Amino acid sequence: MLATGCVTQTNYDGPGPRYSGVVNGDAAAQNVPDTIRIVSYNIEFAFKVDSAIVVLADPLLRNADIVLLQEMDAHGAERIASALGMHHVYYPATKHMRTGRDFGNAVLSRWPIRSDAKILLPHLAAIGESRRIATAATIEIGEMQIRVYSAHLGTVANINADQRTEQFETLLADAAPFDRVIIGGDMNDPDIGSVARDRGYAWPTAREPRTAKIGRLDHVFLKGLAPARENGSGTIVDNHHASDHKPIWALAILR
C-alpha cells in the first residue's frame, strides 16, 4: 500500500494546532549580546528526547540563543524547552502514519517570541501524501526583531529537486518583508543553499561534516545578520545515537 501511495496521513492544513510555552524571567531586560548562537537538530520522530537533551548539553550547544527542532511532537518540544529553560512554539505538520504521533517543527528561544505562524509548504509526499511545514517565529532581542524559521523540506524519496526548491522559495517569500532572518533545519538537500545565496543570504554551515548518512542535509542561512568569521559554525559528530541526524550550530553577529 505504501508503494502505491494508497496510505495517507492526517495533515494539519489549518493554522493550528499550536503549542507554546514561556519561561519565568524577562530576557528582554538582559544586555544584547554581540553574537547569538543558533542550533538546529532533527530528532528522529522525537523517539529519544532524553538522549537529545544530553546532546544539547554539549558545551557548543547548551548556551544557544535559538534552537530549531524538526520531527518533534508537542510533548518532546516542551520537554526540551523546559530542560534548556527556553520559550518555545511548536506546530505539527501531520500525524505521521509510521508512529501515529504528531510530526512537526519547533522554535526555542532564550529571547521573547513576539509572534509566530505555521508556513505550509507546497508538494505533498509521493508516499502517504504527507505535508511539510516550517514553524516561523518573530524573536525580539533588545530593539531588534528577527524572523526565525525551523524548516523540514521533503525527502528525495517523496519530491524532486525542483519541488524542494519551490518549498524553500516559499520560505524566502515569507521572509522577504523582514530585515533580519534566520532559516534553519533539515533541508534534505546539500545544495539548496545556492538558492539562498542567490537571494543575498549567508550560508555559514556550507562546509562541514555530513549530518546524515547521505550527506550534509542540515543548514542555517542568515539575512541581515553577519556570520562569525572564525569558529562560526560546527557539527556535533557524536550525537549519542539520539537521532539519524547530527546537530549543527552557527554564530550570527548582531552588532
Side-chain angles (χ1 to χ4, degrees), residues 4-17:
T4 59
C6 294
V7 174
T8 59
Q9 303 181 142
T10 302
N11 293 326
Y12 297 114
D13 286 343

Side-chain angles (χ1 to χ4, degrees), residues 233-247:
S233 66
T235 303
I236 304 302
V237 176
D238 182 6
N239 71 350
H240 296 264
H241 305 289
S243 175
D244 56 352
H245 284 249
K246 297 176 173 62

Side-chain angles (χ1 to χ4, degrees), residues 1-5 7-9 97 124-130 157-158:
M1 292 179 68
L2 290 175
T4 59
V7 174
T8 59
Q9 303 181 142
M97 61 186 177
L124 300 182
I127 301 172
E129 298 184 355
S130 62
N158 280 302

